Amino acid sequence: MSTGSALASNKRGIRELGAEEMVGWDEVQQGVVLPSFEGDAAGIVNMHAEERNYADFNSYTATVASWRVIKPVYNRDICIDCQNCWVWCPDTSIISRDKQMLGIDYDHCKGCGVCVEVCPTNPKSLLMFNEAEENDEALAGWPQKEKKAK
Amino acid sequence: MAITSIKNLKEFSTNNDRFEGAHLLCPGCAHSMIVRELMNCTDDNLVIASNTGCLEVSTAVYPYTSWDTSWIHIGFENAATAVTGAEAMYKARKKKGTLKDPDAPVKFVAFGGDGSTYDIGFQWLSGAVERGHDFTYVCLDNENYANTGGQRSSATPIGAHTSTAQAGSASYGKKQKKKDLVAIMAAHGAPYVAQLAPNKWKSMAKGFQKALETEGPCFINTVSACTTEWKFDPKDTIHLTDLATDSLMFPVYEIIDGHELNILYRPKNVIKVEDYLGAQGRYRHLFKPENKHVIERIQKDIDENWAMLQRREEARI
């Protein structure tokens, strides 16, 4: 599995959440069952997200990217793979594989900034930038290591 | 039971998430941190029910679901009842031999907010624990009815401003003390009862695994900082939870079999409760001179509670 497929899975975030046509209150079926996966769901605990066969009902196929006004940008060069951001991300938006942090899932990230706050490196390997700013520009202007005040 | 390794964060992070993104919880909400962590603690099949609350309405917005496990959407009060019903049926069908895969390990979990746990669903939870079903109940305690606009609940601490216990010239907010639900659940004789916090991820993961492993009803109260109603910046969720556990506003401890109390986190430097209160908008009015006595009262309550917990830990009662 290449790292590219983990970062950009073809089922993730393909629809804007709430973009589908609304049904009236009397048209909603009673006792609805929403299957999370197409076919058998056995063994999904051993599959990475990009290997799973998500059904259209799964919110994995939706995106909330439009909620964001600021976004976290990830700098691989400084990261120590401590996984603090992974454990505390409320939106399952930190992509980690084989104990390595790969990047941010911008389809599900809401830009809360918790990952930046819990990042222990100096300078931080995650920083918040304006949503409109390009990631390359953000990385080019990354701050230098802060020296301890004497 | 297939428990996953929580030796360190790197090993823990090899788990595949079963709680998906693009749910509608607020940015920085601690609910999803807690739920994700519980689901990453085990590889077993999970049957989960949620009481009405932020978690339920935000993770199942028709036609979407954020759950990769069996999950039951149920009324405000009866997640405990629904999940124990599912557990009873599972046991009955296992006995009859009508299960498709009888050897697959299954765990039953109920999630509820503090409104549905401390107030509305309390008798249902009490009944489910008394009947002794094998399930784990996790209360996501954000100290108010955040889903409906921040009304007071019996989990709201004294002095907090809520939309139905407002602070102003005539009042300093809620006037009653928070209910000690952990002690109440321990008094039911539940085999495992704990109060955990998401900033202490390891003690929380250990507690979840212990609760899932333990046969019988287990209750876990978790601190879930609410950026909207506690009024703080979403990025500070973990920082604020740190302040909560370090000021001992939320001591982290477990009670086994109703008497064996273990304190799971002892802060090296106990901070004053002012630091915790001052970081949130809902306590801002307490820093006026006329409300000074409320802060003193809160600090006194915390000190007494901490002394009581330490005595209980020593005496094993």
Side-chain angles (χ1 to χ4, degrees), chain B residues 129 133 135-138 182 185-196 202-222 252-264:
Chain B
V129 173
H133 292 275
F135 78 114
T136 301
Y137 191 102
V138 180
V182 180
M185 296 322 291
H188 279 69
Y192 187 79
V193 175
Q195 175 157 285
L196 306 169
K202 200 166 186 173
S203 67
M204 188 156 95
K206 268 188 195 161
F208 283 153
Q209 291 191 339
K210 230 184 236 180
L212 291 170
E213 269 181 332
T214 307
E215 194 142 333
C218 301
F219 176 81
I220 291 175
N221 194 40
T222 55
V252 179
Y253 61 98
E254 61 181 14
I255 305 173
I256 298 165
D257 293 330
H259 61 85
E260 207 174 302
L261 192 147
N262 301 314
I263 294 170
L264 301 176

Side-chain angles (χ1 to χ4, degrees), chain B residues 8-178:
Chain B
N8 54 45
L9 261 186
K10 283 196 179 194
E11 297 214 354
F12 193 37
S13 77
T14 56
N15 286 297
N16 295 310
D17 273 301
R18 286 191 282 174
F19 185 69
E20 299 296 347
H23 50 69
L24 300 190
L25 290 164
C26 302
C29 179
H31 274 27
S32 40
M33 299 179 192
I34 297 163
V35 172
R36 263 188 73 214
E37 189 158 337
L38 183 134
M39 292 169 88
N40 279 327
C41 278
T42 175
D43 283 347
D44 291 354
N45 295 336
L46 290 167
V47 177
I48 299 176
S50 289
N51 279 327
T52 301
C54 288
L55 182 73
E56 188 191 61
V57 302
S58 306
T59 57
V61 187
Y62 186 82
Y64 290 110
T65 171
S66 299
W67 302 83
D68 293 350
T69 61
S70 306
W71 180 75
I72 309 166
H73 184 289
I74 198 82
F76 210 146
E77 62 289 329
N78 44 10
T81 319
V83 88
T84 52
E87 187 253 6
M89 185 176 76
Y90 172 78
K91 275 194 177 152
R93 288 190 57 179
K94 201 169 187 174
K95 215 188 252 172
K96 282 185 186 165
T98 54
L99 284 177
K100 207 170 102 189
D101 188 1
D103 298 324
V106 184
K107 299 286 170 209
F108 295 86
V109 179
F111 285 110
D114 61 291
S116 61
T117 307
Y118 281 67
D119 302 345
I120 294 174
F122 179 63
Q123 64 157 312
W124 310 61
L125 168 65
S126 176
V129 173
E130 187 268 334
R131 290 192 300 275
H133 292 275
D134 182 12
F135 78 114
T136 301
Y137 191 102
V138 180
C139 171
L140 307 161
D141 184 2
N142 59 13
E143 303 191 324
N144 63 67
Y145 289 84
N147 181 34
T148 48
Q151 290 84 0
R152 85 190 267 291
S153 77
S154 60
T156 311
I158 183 169
H161 166 92
T162 65
S163 59
T164 49
Q166 300 200 348
S169 53
S171 169
Y172 55 79
K174 194 188 162 187
K175 293 204 165 87
Q176 297 81 10
K177 247 179 96 168
K178 178 173 179 162

